[in-house]
Amino acid sequence: MKAEIISIGTEILLGQTLDTNSSYLSRKLAEIGIDVHYHITAGDNKNRLCDSIKAALQRSDIAITTGGLGPTIDDITLNAIAEVAEKPLILKKEIIRLIEHHFKTRSIKMPKNNIKQAYVPKGAIWLKNLTGTAPGLIVEIYKKHLIALPGPPREMIPMFEKYIIPYLEKFRVKKSVILSRTLKTTGLSESQLHNKIAAFLRLSGSTTVGIYARPSQVDLKITAKAADPALAKKQIGIIEGKIRKKINKLIYGADDQKLEQVVAGLMGPSTISIAESCTGGLISSRLTDIPGISKNLLFSIIAYSDRSKKELLSISPGLLKRHGAVSTVIARHMADNIRRIAKSDIGISTTGIAGPAGATHKKPIGLVYIGLSTGKQTIVRKFNFTGSRDIIKFRTSQAALDMLRKFLLK
Ligand code: ATP
Ligand code: MG
């Protein structure tokens, strides 16, 4: 079965409303094995909407619209569907009663406009709106399924889950599901990672692997199509095992896991302290998003100015003058000193040039040093990040957390 999604609304075309309905519906349809071939966005214009519905139903078995079912003048979905179906709109008393009840429970008199929502094209199945007034519709047109759902996600989602999933399940000829698992990496660029696992990216058939890059993060998405969820999970597990054999250390987590969450989970009884210059507290902020981190994170200092590096971290003025704040030596001393001051097991430091100003010939924008001090040893890594100021800050926090993760894994 092939499906298309038509999101309706000029505000979506203008970019004022983000079309989250289409992404939600695509994900859900994939889960029940229905392929989505097109996303269409149509403005609040009846002729163009009719054309979009016709085109979708000519190409595919199912067209799902969202939006434009409201009571106002610009809500034209109902009329467009009736026109394409060549059916008159019939007033349904039962729907009027439901809408009246909706307003009564809110102590509001039903506005006259809302009567418009009680009309349905002759022969259509209508669906009760559990959280609003506009009913949904299922209409057979050209022997295909046209499904119309309200625009607001809090109305659309419950309606889709309660009525549409069971409705579509019945028509699935060959039952199959599509499941995905995302393996998350940081530290390598997309092309570096690509080279390590190129063979997997060439997989074709029921299990495939895709690569998706974001700043400081490259995801590998394993997707399997199978007869049932257990089989799909098994197929995913086999490929995941093979990928992990090659690059296990690079994978910090899967699916919704965040790097800071993984790091916090690895911390055990170890204590840490952080001295942040160019990250301005970002690493501490990310770690303190994780509940329970207070047992590990003893001290966090934002030592952005030279004076704070001297006065709060006891960095000697001579060293600062000789090497400059952005240097291996200062990163090392910041990490060592914060660890000693906090009496923690581990000390982390960042110092760098986030730009757009502050660069010199020898110290370009994106030059960052990250220190990790453990008492036994102090590691300082040098990075040359690219991007805007906020991206360089994020990349630095990502690299520091990943250094910590790899240390804790040992
Ligand atoms: P209403 O009865 O609220 O008018 P409706 O079915 O007519 O509902 P629209 O008027 O098209 O729907 O949209 C109402 C609101 O729903 C929008 O302002 C927007 O917040 C949200 N919405 C509509 N379409 C989408 C979409 N594709 N993705 C996310 N949100 C949407
Ligand atoms: Mg509306």
Side-chain angles (χ1 to χ4, degrees):
M1 288 261 260
K2 287 183 292 184
E4 302 193 15
I5 297 163
I6 307 173
S7 49
I8 302 165
T10 302
E11 64 199 41
I12 302 169
L13 273 186
L14 292 176
Q16 291 159 350
T17 296
L18 185 65
D19 179 13
T20 57
N21 285 350
S22 296
S23 77
Y24 166 83
L25 288 171
S26 274
R27 273 183 278 125
K28 286 289 168 181
L29 290 168
E31 279 173 21
I32 57 171
I34 294 174
D35 298 325
V36 174
H37 282 202
Y38 289 91
H39 281 186
I40 304 166
T41 300
D44 303 314
N45 172 288
K46 201 172 96 182
N47 290 338
R48 288 196 287 271
L49 180 54
C50 286
D51 288 348
S52 302
I53 294 173
K54 280 181 202 159
L57 289 172
Q58 273 153 8
R59 288 185 297 239
S60 302
D61 311 292
I62 304 159
I64 303 181
T65 69
T66 77
L69 289 177
T72 55
I73 292 278
D74 61 348
D75 291 315
I76 42 127
T77 305
L78 211 52
N79 290 318
I81 292 172
E83 190 172 311
V84 179
E86 295 178 358
K87 294 279 189 280
L89 286 169
I90 311 280
L91 184 65
K92 292 278 175 188
K93 287 212 178 79
E94 213 182 327
I95 302 179
I96 301 180
R97 278 198 292 276
L98 281 174
I99 299 175
E100 277 171 348
H101 181 256
H102 174 92
F103 284 104
K104 207 168 158 195
T105 54
R106 287 159 180 78
S107 307
I108 305 170
K109 196 166 173 272
M110 183 176 99
K112 263 203 183 129
N113 281 353
N114 283 80
I115 281 285
K116 192 179 148 194
Q117 296 178 307
Y119 283 87
V120 304
K122 196 173 176 197
I125 301 170
W126 61 270
L127 313 166
K128 186 174 166 184
N129 191 327
L130 304 163
T131 44
T133 54
L137 295 172
I138 302 176
V139 192
E140 195 188 300
I141 306 177
Y142 315 150
K143 301 219 176 301
K144 309 280 185 72
H145 311 275
L146 185 275
I147 295 166
L149 302 173
R154 60 176 198 88
E155 296 180 34
M156 188 279 288
I157 293 171
M159 199 179 273
F160 182 79
E161 291 188 348
K162 181 153 186 200
Y163 305 111
I164 308 304
I165 291 182
Y167 176 79
L168 293 176
E169 293 266 358
K170 284 191 300 214
F171 293 100
R172 278 164 60 197
V173 188
K174 207 173 119 217
K175 299 226 170 181
S176 65
V177 294
I178 298 176
L179 291 187
S180 308
R181 180 160 164 87
T182 303
L183 304 179
K184 298 169 137 184
T185 75
T186 184
L188 290 192
S189 70
E190 185 180 14
S191 50
Q192 285 172 318
L193 191 66
H194 180 282
N195 292 343
K196 288 190 184 288
I197 49 120
F200 296 100
L201 300 173
R202 283 194 289 269
L203 285 178
S204 62
S206 60
T207 311
T208 54
V209 180
I211 189 164
Y212 304 94
R214 280 180 280 156
S216 225
Q217 181 167 315
V218 186
D219 291 344
L220 293 175
K221 191 166 185 177
I222 312 170
T223 303
K225 190 170 182 175
D228 60 64
L231 209 56
K233 276 187 193 148
K234 195 175 155 200
Q235 284 172 212
I236 290 172
I238 292 169
I239 299 297
E240 177 173 347
K242 288 181 181 171
I243 293 176
R244 282 192 183 273
K245 255 193 178 158
K246 289 210 143 203
I247 56 158
N248 194 37
K249 253 191 129 177
L250 290 171
I251 300 170
Y252 70 76
D255 296 330
D256 296 332
Q257 274 185 313
K258 290 182 173 163
L259 181 54
E260 51 271 36
Q261 208 178 350
V262 173
V263 169
L266 289 171
M267 212 92 83
S270 303
T271 54
I272 62 162
S273 51
I274 309 172
E276 302 192 49
S277 182
C278 65
T279 39
L282 183 57
I283 301 168
S284 310
S285 170
R286 289 179 65 182
L287 280 174
T288 52
D289 282 343
I290 310 304
I293 198 72
S294 55
K295 70 177 191 300
N296 309 104
L297 181 57
L298 303 188
F299 273 35
S300 270
I301 288 176
I302 302 172
Y304 197 64
S305 65
D306 279 3
R307 188 157 79 89
S308 63
K309 289 183 182 75
K310 290 178 217 161
E311 292 182 14
L312 297 175
L313 292 172
S314 311
I315 306 282
S316 96
L319 274 185
L320 263 173
K321 205 163 181 196
R322 216 170 317 138
H323 300 278
V326 181
S327 59
T328 312
V329 174
I330 298 303
R332 177 185 305 277
H333 279 80
M334 284 172 72
D336 285 341
N337 293 6
I338 189 71
R339 184 182 54 76
R340 223 174 302 120
I341 294 166
K343 299 186 181 67
S344 60
D345 302 321
I346 304 163
I348 299 279
S349 70
T350 63
T351 178
I353 298 167
T360 62
H361 184 60
K362 278 195 179 151
K363 295 186 176 178
I365 290 167
L367 175 68
V368 170
Y369 295 89
I370 300 175
L372 189 150
S373 163
T374 64
K376 279 197 193 128
Q377 59 168 351
T378 305
I379 309 161
V380 176
R381 285 192 62 196
K382 177 185 171 187
F383 297 87
N384 282 97
F385 294 126
T386 53
S388 58
R389 188 172 172 85
D390 55 339
I391 288 183
I392 289 173
K393 285 175 75 177
F394 180 74
R395 286 186 198 275
T396 307
S397 73
Q398 195 80 341
L401 287 171
D402 204 47
M403 271 172 78
L404 189 53
R405 178 184 76 88
K406 285 181 177 145
F407 173 76
L408 292 168
L409 273 179
K410 277 184 200 156

